[in-house]
Amino acid sequence: MDDEIDIRSMTKSVDWGVASTGMLPKLTCSRVTGGLTNELYRVTGFVGLKQEFSRLLAPLLPDDGPKVASLVDFDSVLVRKLGAEGMIDRDAETSTYAHLCNADVAYRYLGRFKNGRVEGWLDGFMTLKCEDLDESTSLEIAKEMAKLHCSFDLPPGELRDHYFGVDPDTISVGLWEQLKDWTTQARSHVEFKTPRDTRRAKALKLDEIECEVERYIDMFSSKSKEEQKEGVVFCHNDLLPANIMKHSDSNEIQLIDFEYGGTNYSAFDIANHFNEYAGGVGEGENGNTDYSRFPSLE
């Protein structure tokens, strides 16, 4: 990954406007369905452009560095145009995604642009549906969650301070600030995207929700500093089936879409994932959940 970062900085001297004139017609772009907050596109045809990339990049690479062929070892990429404006710190999120890729938790960060980024394309993988969450699949998901919760850690610096806070004796839990921020945003909106959304938002008892959140914050804040730290790790925070991919042959699991990731209680991440078994976010479900799908104690 460090080699790739160096290469991106070196290639600033390439006139990509001129270079792309002959390259773009050889690429194909198609819209990818399933993105809830982002627009997703698959761009294909990079294998056929290795000669062009070699001509452009080879003079910029050190003699003992990686070869172009080893860097352009894919035919497709995923282009993610970011949405949810104002709800997510995209600079922090993209930097975090790069670190998650370095730790082999997320899959392949290739670069960013003003309102999005480029990621590796997961060949042979399909996003899950609620009905796919059988026992064997759930076991593999648990392994990937354990890797995230137990093995991933951000290096010291500005990004770690963004999530964990600057006080070494305390840990900032992003859950509380996120809930407060969303409550404030909900109060500030009068009209939503659709009349149905507006009616549903007005039916929310925001005063009661806010009091309930404050009660939980007070309950956790009353504990000792050491107790407050227990179980606080970097979490995904949005592990619905659509954010989990499975390889059709190997059954390998890959977690995706870490945009709501941050410091939280690992128990919340697990409970939230179980809650997603009930569905309600798919096309045609219209927010209607089915808790008969909820996993049993067995």
Side-chain angles (χ1 to χ4, degrees), residues 56 67 89 111 116 173 179 184 203 212 225 233 248 251 262 283 296:
L56 290 166
K67 303 303 180 186
D89 184 332
V173 178
L179 287 173
T184 301
E212 186 76 0
K225 289 185 177 181
V233 296
S248 57
N251 294 328
E283 291 184 19
S296 67

Side-chain angles (χ1 to χ4, degrees), residues 4-245:
E4 292 179 20
I5 293 171
D6 291 338
I7 290 164
R8 284 197 294 272
S9 65
M10 287 188 292
T11 55
K12 289 178 181 178
S13 61
V14 175
D15 187 346
W16 289 105
V18 174
S20 64
T21 301
M23 298 169 72
L24 286 179
K26 299 179 181 180
L27 298 173
T28 59
C29 180
S30 57
R31 182 76 179 264
V32 179
T33 60
L36 297 178
T37 57
N38 307 313
E39 292 181 24
L40 307 175
Y41 301 89
R42 180 182 185 179
V43 181
T44 304
F46 288 92
V47 166
L49 294 174
K50 282 194 175 183
Q51 285 187 335
E52 286 88 340
F53 277 113
S54 294
R55 177 173 54 82
L56 290 166
L57 301 180
L60 304 174
L61 299 176
D63 293 337
D64 59 348
K67 303 303 180 186
V68 174
S70 68
L71 299 175
V72 189
D73 60 350
F74 49 83
D75 190 48
S76 296
V77 299
L78 178 72
V79 178
R80 183 184 297 273
K81 182 182 176 185
L82 301 172
E85 186 175 356
M87 294 180 66
I88 301 167
D89 184 332
R90 291 302 188 181
D91 287 333
E93 187 247 334
T94 296
S95 297
T96 304
Y97 186 81
H99 283 289
L100 286 163
C101 291
N102 284 340
D104 196 31
V105 174
Y107 184 71
R108 205 161 194 177
Y109 169 62
L110 296 174
R112 65 178 300 178
F113 49 96
K114 185 176 181 181
N115 62 331
R117 64 171 176 263
V118 183
E119 305 169 13
W121 178 263
L122 284 158
D123 278 313
F125 282 80
M126 296 291 290
T127 53
L128 296 180
K129 299 178 181 178
C130 289
E131 53 266 31
D132 298 324
L133 296 172
D134 55 35
E135 185 174 348
S136 61
T137 300
S138 295
L139 178 60
E140 296 307 311
I141 294 171
K143 292 177 182 178
E144 291 303 307
M145 290 184 72
K147 185 195 299 185
L148 172 63
H149 292 164
C150 301
S151 303
F152 177 69
D153 196 12
L154 289 165
E158 185 177 350
L159 190 61
R160 182 178 175 82
D161 292 345
H162 169 80
Y163 288 111
F164 288 88
V166 296
D167 185 351
D169 292 327
T170 60
I171 290 181
S172 174
V173 178
L175 169 66
W176 307 130
E177 292 304 316
Q178 188 72 83
L179 287 173
K180 288 179 180 178
D181 183 51
W182 285 346
T183 302
T184 301
Q185 290 189 47
R187 289 188 181 280
S188 67
H189 281 68
V190 179
E191 298 293 330
F192 290 80
K193 285 187 176 181
T194 67
R196 180 176 181 273
D197 286 344
T198 300
R199 290 194 301 271
R200 293 177 68 195
K202 288 181 178 178
L204 289 173
K205 299 177 180 179
L206 289 177
D207 289 335
E208 293 182 17
I209 293 172
E210 197 165 19
C211 288
E212 186 76 0
V213 170
E214 289 297 332
R215 186 173 71 85
Y216 279 111
I217 292 175
D218 291 341
M219 182 176 68
F220 280 88
S221 299
S222 65
K223 296 182 178 182
S224 69
K225 289 185 177 181
E226 286 304 315
E227 286 178 319
Q228 289 182 42
K229 291 181 182 180
E230 289 180 3
V232 177
V233 296
F234 193 92
C235 293
H236 186 287
N237 292 328
D238 193 27
L239 271 180
L240 69 161
N243 285 339
I244 305 169
M245 301 192 78

